Short mmCIF file of all heavy atoms in Angstrom, two decimals:
data_model
loop_
_atom_site.label_atom_id
_atom_site.label_comp_id
_atom_site.label_asym_id
_atom_site.label_seq_id
_atom_site.Cartn_x
_atom_site.Cartn_y
_atom_site.Cartn_z
N LYS A 378 20.40 93.77 124.29
CA LYS A 378 21.74 93.18 124.47
C LYS A 378 22.22 92.55 123.17
O LYS A 378 23.36 92.73 122.76
CB LYS A 378 21.71 92.13 125.58
CG LYS A 378 21.46 92.72 126.95
CD LYS A 378 21.58 91.66 128.01
CE LYS A 378 21.07 92.19 129.34
NZ LYS A 378 21.24 91.24 130.43
N SER A 379 21.31 91.81 122.55
CA SER A 379 21.71 91.12 121.32
C SER A 379 22.06 92.13 120.23
O SER A 379 23.05 91.97 119.50
CB SER A 379 20.56 90.20 120.92
OG SER A 379 20.73 89.76 119.65
N THR A 380 21.27 93.22 120.13
CA THR A 380 21.56 94.24 119.10
C THR A 380 22.90 94.91 119.39
O THR A 380 23.70 95.14 118.48
CB THR A 380 20.43 95.30 119.08
OG1 THR A 380 19.20 94.61 118.96
CG2 THR A 380 20.60 96.29 117.95
N LEU A 381 23.17 95.18 120.67
CA LEU A 381 24.44 95.80 121.03
C LEU A 381 25.61 94.90 120.61
O LEU A 381 26.59 95.35 120.01
CB LEU A 381 24.46 96.06 122.55
CG LEU A 381 25.71 96.65 123.18
CD1 LEU A 381 26.12 97.94 122.51
CD2 LEU A 381 25.50 96.90 124.67
N VAL A 382 25.48 93.61 120.89
CA VAL A 382 26.56 92.68 120.53
C VAL A 382 26.68 92.56 119.00
O VAL A 382 27.79 92.57 118.46
CB VAL A 382 26.32 91.30 121.20
CG1 VAL A 382 27.25 90.24 120.64
CG2 VAL A 382 26.52 91.41 122.72
N GLN A 383 25.54 92.49 118.31
CA GLN A 383 25.59 92.40 116.84
C GLN A 383 26.26 93.65 116.25
O GLN A 383 27.06 93.55 115.32
CB GLN A 383 24.17 92.25 116.24
CG GLN A 383 23.49 90.93 116.56
CD GLN A 383 24.21 89.72 115.96
OE1 GLN A 383 25.06 89.85 115.07
NE2 GLN A 383 23.90 88.54 116.46
N ASN A 384 25.92 94.81 116.79
CA ASN A 384 26.53 96.05 116.28
C ASN A 384 28.03 96.09 116.58
O ASN A 384 28.82 96.54 115.76
CB ASN A 384 25.83 97.28 116.87
CG ASN A 384 24.50 97.52 116.17
OD1 ASN A 384 24.29 97.08 115.04
ND2 ASN A 384 23.57 98.19 116.84
N MET A 385 28.41 95.58 117.76
CA MET A 385 29.84 95.51 118.09
C MET A 385 30.56 94.62 117.08
O MET A 385 31.66 94.94 116.63
CB MET A 385 30.05 94.91 119.48
CG MET A 385 30.01 95.85 120.64
SD MET A 385 31.03 97.31 120.45
CE MET A 385 32.64 96.62 120.28
N LEU A 386 29.90 93.51 116.74
CA LEU A 386 30.54 92.58 115.79
C LEU A 386 30.79 93.25 114.44
O LEU A 386 31.77 92.94 113.76
CB LEU A 386 29.65 91.35 115.59
CG LEU A 386 29.79 90.28 116.66
CD1 LEU A 386 28.75 89.20 116.46
CD2 LEU A 386 31.18 89.67 116.61
N ARG A 387 29.88 94.17 114.06
CA ARG A 387 30.10 94.87 112.80
C ARG A 387 31.24 95.88 112.94
O ARG A 387 31.97 96.14 111.99
CB ARG A 387 28.82 95.62 112.40
CG ARG A 387 27.79 94.67 111.88
CD ARG A 387 26.64 95.40 111.22
NE ARG A 387 25.54 94.48 111.19
CZ ARG A 387 24.44 94.57 111.92
NH1 ARG A 387 24.25 95.59 112.71
NH2 ARG A 387 23.50 93.66 111.82
N LEU A 388 31.36 96.44 114.13
CA LEU A 388 32.39 97.48 114.33
C LEU A 388 33.79 96.91 114.54
O LEU A 388 34.77 97.57 114.21
CB LEU A 388 32.03 98.30 115.58
CG LEU A 388 30.97 99.38 115.41
CD1 LEU A 388 30.62 99.98 116.76
CD2 LEU A 388 31.51 100.48 114.48
N ILE A 389 33.86 95.71 115.10
CA ILE A 389 35.18 95.16 115.49
C ILE A 389 36.21 95.15 114.33
O ILE A 389 37.34 95.62 114.52
CB ILE A 389 35.03 93.79 116.17
CG1 ILE A 389 34.46 94.01 117.58
CG2 ILE A 389 36.37 93.06 116.30
CD1 ILE A 389 33.97 92.74 118.25
#
Side-chain angles (χ1 to χ4, degrees):
K378 292 186 191 184
S379 167
T380 308
L381 178 54
V382 169
Q383 292 296 344
N384 283 337
M385 273 310 299
L386 277 173
R387 285 191 200 110
L388 280 173
I389 287 167

